[in-house]
Amino acid sequence: MLNLEYGTRFVHVPYRGSAPALQAVPTVRELGYPKGEAQAFSGFLVPAGVPPEMVAVLNKAANQAMLQPDVRETIVVKLQSPLIGGTPEAYAQFLRAELARWVPLIKSVGIKPD
């Protein structure tokens, strides 16, 4: 993990669960903040109007790629990110939940995009 290689001192892990390379670092929950969690995530998005058949082809290819050992190694071990995969519908639901969670907070503290 890049940050460990350069001597960064971790005081907490900001997401649910611990990272494999950071087992000795407490999570935010373990520090007493039950709602203090965030997670990094990534996924594939396509423009509106892409035919469902094409979305299915892309989704199948992405899920198959995640089964490859080198991809798993990069994502899970090096980036310390869970590898989930799934359906476009599940990802859309996840994104809606994240927006519902973060937009009110961002507005309440007055964060503006640059």
Side-chain angles (χ1 to χ4, degrees), residues 21-103:
L22 301 173
Q23 292 296 317
V25 179
T27 64
V28 173
R29 282 184 181 199
E30 291 168 341
L31 293 174
Y33 302 96
K35 294 184 179 182
E37 67 179 44
Q39 63 183 358
F41 62 89
S42 59
F44 296 100
L45 300 172
V46 297
V50 171
E53 302 80 23
M54 180 56 71
V55 172
V57 168
L58 294 169
N59 183 65
K60 182 178 180 182
N63 281 313
Q64 287 176 337
M66 287 187 272
L67 298 174
Q68 301 304 312
D70 58 333
V71 173
R72 295 189 71 75
E73 169 77 12
T74 299
I75 294 174
V76 176
V77 177
K78 293 181 181 174
L79 298 178
Q80 296 296 306
S81 181
L83 188 60
I84 299 172
T87 66
E89 295 79 17
Y91 191 52
Q93 182 179 0
F94 169 77
L95 291 176
R96 282 191 295 273
E98 287 295 291
L99 285 171
R101 177 181 180 194
W102 291 106
V103 168

Side-chain angles (χ1 to χ4, degrees), residues 6-25:
Y6 289 97
T8 299
R9 181 175 165 258
F10 286 87
V11 294
H12 72 278
V13 176
Y15 49 87
R16 189 178 320 138
S18 62
L22 301 173
Q23 292 296 317
V25 179

